[in-house]
Amino acid sequence: MNKRVTLLLAASLVGLAAGGCSSGGGPAGAGTPSPPPPPASPAFSEVPSFTGTPPTIASVTSDAPITATVDPGSVARSGLPTGDARGRMKLALTGLGVVESEVTGRCEAKGDTTRLELKSSSGTKVVVALVAGGTSSVEIDDTGLQMAAALLPGDYQVAPPRLTAAARFQPEGSDLPGGRLDLDVTCAG
């Protein structure tokens, strides 16, 4: 049990002992006992369970569900211009955390591939490759973490010069999705 929870439990017991357990008025001038105020930031809002499967990113975030099953390669030739990129990204890695930030970088459209090289304000680098007729992917490079993953079908929309996407990704060599990528990027030609 952590130290904060132990202290809160001890404070509650002292408050009960001092106030007594009867509902009467108590000694003259003592007033009605009241419970101690709740802590400013309680350690837990519910009893944690350390058994079973840990929650997935989708179960602990308020992101909108991914409703479409658009193949990421189907938007590879949809007219995004080559040029500077600017927008927002939310990258959730299952079990590791979330990066939500403004991004800048570069868009490049060549033949069957559209490539976005993005960098967050905190330094996380993300390369998204949308490949028509092939495997679309995301590469993540953050302090101490390098990952390559296949982008799964999801919500992809292109209205040149803008790309919005919400999709899960699956790391190479794994059967479990590694997280979720949400993008809203404009490519300036």
Side-chain angles (χ1 to χ4, degrees):
M1 188 178 299
N2 78 28
K3 194 173 191 175
R4 184 179 186 146
V5 172
T6 303
L7 289 173
L8 289 173
L9 182 59
S12 295
L13 290 174
V14 169
L16 283 175
C21 294
S22 68
S23 60
T32 305
S34 62
S41 59
F44 300 108
S45 58
E46 59 185 54
V47 177
S49 169
F50 295 107
T51 61
T53 308
T56 62
I57 290 294
S59 69
V60 296
T61 63
S62 59
D63 293 327
I66 297 170
T67 58
T69 56
V70 175
D71 179 1
S74 69
V75 298
R77 290 181 253 169
S78 51
L80 285 174
T82 295
D84 292 336
R86 182 172 301 279
R88 288 205 52 79
M89 170 186 76
K90 183 172 184 179
L91 175 67
L93 297 168
T94 303
L96 296 177
V98 176
V99 174
E100 187 168 7
S101 172
E102 298 288 326
V103 291
T104 57
R106 183 123 180 103
C107 298
E108 186 174 338
K110 276 189 181 175
D112 290 344
T113 303
T114 296
R115 184 176 169 93
L116 291 87
E117 296 180 12
L118 306 170
K119 185 175 181 180
S120 75
S121 58
S122 63
T124 302
K125 296 176 186 172
V126 174
V127 176
V128 176
L130 304 171
V131 182
T135 301
S136 296
S137 63
V138 61
E139 295 173 19
I140 302 161
D141 186 359
D142 196 16
T143 307
L145 171 73
Q146 292 183 338
M147 177 193 304
L151 280 172
L152 301 176
D155 297 326
Y156 296 89
Q157 295 179 354
V158 177
R162 184 178 177 199
L163 164 72
T164 59
R168 298 206 178 281
F169 52 86
Q170 180 175 339
E172 293 176 358
S174 175
D175 292 334
L176 300 173
R180 176 178 167 146
L181 176 65
D182 290 87
L183 288 176
D184 187 350
V185 175
T186 299
C187 301

